[in-house]
Amino acid sequence: MAHNLLKGKKGIIFGALDEKSLAWRTALRCVEEGAEIVLTNAPVALRMGEINKLAEICKAPVIPADVTITDDLKNLFTKSMEHFGGKIDFVLHSVGMSLNVRKGRSYTDLDYDFSLKTLNISALSLHRVLQTAYQMDAINEWGSVVALTYIAAQRAFPDYSEMADAKAMLESVARSFGYHYGIKNKVRVNTVSQSPTPTTAGSGVKGFGGFIGYAEKMSPLGNASADNCADYLVTLFSDMTRMVTMQNLYHDGGFSFTGVSNAIMEALDK
């Protein structure tokens, strides 16, 4: 059911690849709630994914942008503001990639060139997006920027490898830039720590199916789905959460604050 929470708002959604993507589900919900959006992803991802299908459904333009290239981001914000006829109200950063994970390199045997690329794509890209928008004055007062993260930034998940480091940096960027953007233009910046979700990107992590099963048994409410995440993000883009900024917000069915569950204890007892 739509409530017009984003009526009249305009946003940019980074990272929609296919129907499993959190960004894809969020784009659909934003439009259902009255928003107009621009879709963006790296050129290589645009070739691999199905974003044109989403663009048609959402009646949204697709503007390619490599998040590691500042000129691409300047072009993205410029063309988005031209399309909207004004500034932007919200941005979703749903970007992450680890070459070490893709190549099966363990955390104790990282290729550091790969690691630098991981940090650039998965964490520094948020700073680059925010800095570009800040310097271009591209986001309206009381706008909202949200980046997706995972609890491996706080806890050890062995097979999540260097992505845990990237997510920790991502959350730090949100806090630090959130202060400056709040002072400048009342723009709020938050991260959402989502349950493990069966996306195309997530499935590349070794043992990810086990992550999902374990979290489901640990969480009092069960895992939050991609559609649940989209609903939550809509509230963070809306005017209902104007005073929430610089936060890492757990959207995980209670997993983050559960020590151990009866379901896990029963499984261990067996």
Side-chain angles (χ1 to χ4, degrees), residues 123-124 126-128 130-131 134 145 147 167-185 187-191 245-248:
L124 285 177
L126 177 61
H127 192 286
R128 193 174 285 106
L130 289 166
Q131 180 168 289
Y134 184 94
V145 179
K167 292 301 189 185
M169 180 182 286
L170 181 85
E171 293 173 17
S172 178
V173 168
R175 285 190 298 272
S176 297
F177 220 114
Y179 171 82
H180 294 286
Y181 227 149
I183 293 291
K184 175 183 172 66
N185 213 29
V187 172
R188 54 204 196 270
V189 184
N190 295 290
T191 53
T245 195
M246 301 164 62
Q247 302 298 308
N248 180 45

Side-chain angles (χ1 to χ4, degrees), residues 6 10 16 33 44 77 96 122 124-125 143 206 214-215 239 255 261:
L6 301 181
K10 307 173 194 309
E33 290 294 337
V44 64
F77 280 108
S122 305
L124 285 177
S125 62
K206 180 183 175 184
Y214 174 71
D239 292 335
F255 176 87
S261 67

Side-chain angles (χ1 to χ4, degrees), residues 127-140:
H127 192 286
R128 193 174 285 106
V129 167
L130 289 166
Q131 180 168 289
T132 302
Y134 184 94
Q135 292 178 353
M136 294 179 67
D137 193 23
I139 300 179
N140 276 318

Side-chain angles (χ1 to χ4, degrees), residues 153-223:
Q154 288 79 36
R155 299 184 187 177
F157 287 82
D159 292 324
Y160 204 66
S161 191
E162 63 176 349
M163 278 302 296
D165 301 333
K167 292 301 189 185
M169 180 182 286
L170 181 85
E171 293 173 17
S172 178
V173 168
R175 285 190 298 272
S176 297
F177 220 114
Y179 171 82
H180 294 286
Y181 227 149
I183 293 291
K184 175 183 172 66
N185 213 29
K186 299 293 189 293
V187 172
R188 54 204 196 270
V189 184
N190 295 290
T191 53
V192 167
S193 186
Q194 165 70 4
S195 296
T197 312
T199 63
T200 300
S203 63
V205 178
K206 180 183 175 184
F208 197 71
F211 279 16
I212 293 173
Y214 174 71
E216 179 71 26
K217 288 182 181 295
M218 275 286 288
S219 307
L221 300 181
N223 288 333

